[in-house]
Amino acid sequence: CSGCSPHGFVASISPTFLRPTILMRCRSSSVDSTPEVLTPRISPISACVIRCLYAITDRVELAVALIGGLLLRKVFSAEHAARVQAVRLAQNEAAVRELHRISAAAGMGFDERVQALLELGTRHFGMAVGILSRVEGEVYHVEAVHPPAGGIAAGAQFPLGLTYCCETLRSAQPLGFEHAGASPWQTHPCYREFRLETYLGARVLVGERVYGTLNFSASVPRHAVFTAADRDFLLLMTQWMGAALEQRE
């Protein structure tokens, strides 16, 4: 063989170090010069090195897989959050347009507008009941309710202290929570009496006077938290309601 002596060795090692070394011996002969493939003898030290290489390779591959998975999860989470945000923005814009349509609709009386507003709120917030209340002293009056054929009827009265609205009246900002039974609200008299899990309400002003509240509630928890946009939209609804009540008076 022109590249080696009759008893020389040529080593061929895999670039990934994962295949065993193949040794070839070339025999000097005028008749037969075909290389003979031999199985190498591996020393204990070499065997230990190979095992270490296997272990290192496995750990590197595992680390790469984990890092890749985390990066993909982060990308997918960001895309999902962006899609949810876009959907919520579209829903809020549609709700505002519907509110303007109700306020500008010709031929609708005050009671019809209030019912349409309560229906819009229950649908937009995903609630079961919407109420316009009037508060006089410690008495809570149900002025209008949606759905009108539900368990609460217009004209019903309750002690103010048995409603979440007694807390709503104390703040200029909306009050809302998604799961009363899993929060400090479980000790409130309204929860003990009616078991309302979800609530979102804000006070209604007629001029400078507190008239009552516009509130929405449900007996089941709400999976999505109320956003700043939800609260802003409720404030917009109460402003319209207060102006409509003042015009009626």
Side-chain angles (χ1 to χ4, degrees), residues 223-244:
H223 297 297
V225 299
F226 291 114
T227 64
D230 291 332
R231 298 170 190 271
D232 289 343
F233 182 63
L234 178 61
L235 285 176
L236 186 63
M237 295 174 75
T238 60
Q239 290 169 7
W240 178 89
M241 188 70 73

Side-chain angles (χ1 to χ4, degrees), residues 81-129:
R83 286 195 298 269
V84 170
Q85 184 67 21
V87 169
R88 287 179 176 174
L89 179 60
Q91 290 173 341
N92 289 333
E93 291 175 348
V96 171
R97 288 195 299 270
E98 179 69 9
L99 176 59
H100 286 312
R101 186 195 67 78
I102 293 170
S103 62
M108 289 182 69
F110 174 81
D111 292 339
E112 289 179 285
R113 293 180 195 273
V114 171
Q115 277 297 321
L117 189 74
L118 291 175
E119 191 276 331
L120 169 61
T122 54
R123 176 165 38 87
H124 180 68
F125 299 125
M127 299 292 215
V129 178

Side-chain angles (χ1 to χ4, degrees), residues 110-111 113-115 117-119 122 129-135 140-147 152-156 158 165 200-206 210-217 234 237-246 248:
F110 174 81
D111 292 339
R113 293 180 195 273
V114 171
Q115 277 297 321
L117 189 74
L118 291 175
E119 191 276 331
T122 54
V129 178
I131 294 176
L132 170 64
S133 73
R134 175 173 54 87
V135 175
Y140 175 96
H141 301 266
V142 178
E143 288 291 287
V145 59
H146 179 82
I152 301 176
F158 301 95
C165 291
L200 180 64
R203 65 186 188 179
V204 175
L205 300 179
V206 176
V210 176
Y211 176 88
T213 66
L214 181 63
N215 64 90
F216 302 89
S217 59
L234 178 61
M237 295 174 75
T238 60
Q239 290 169 7
W240 178 89
M241 188 70 73
L245 287 166
E246 187 174 23
R248 186 184 67 166

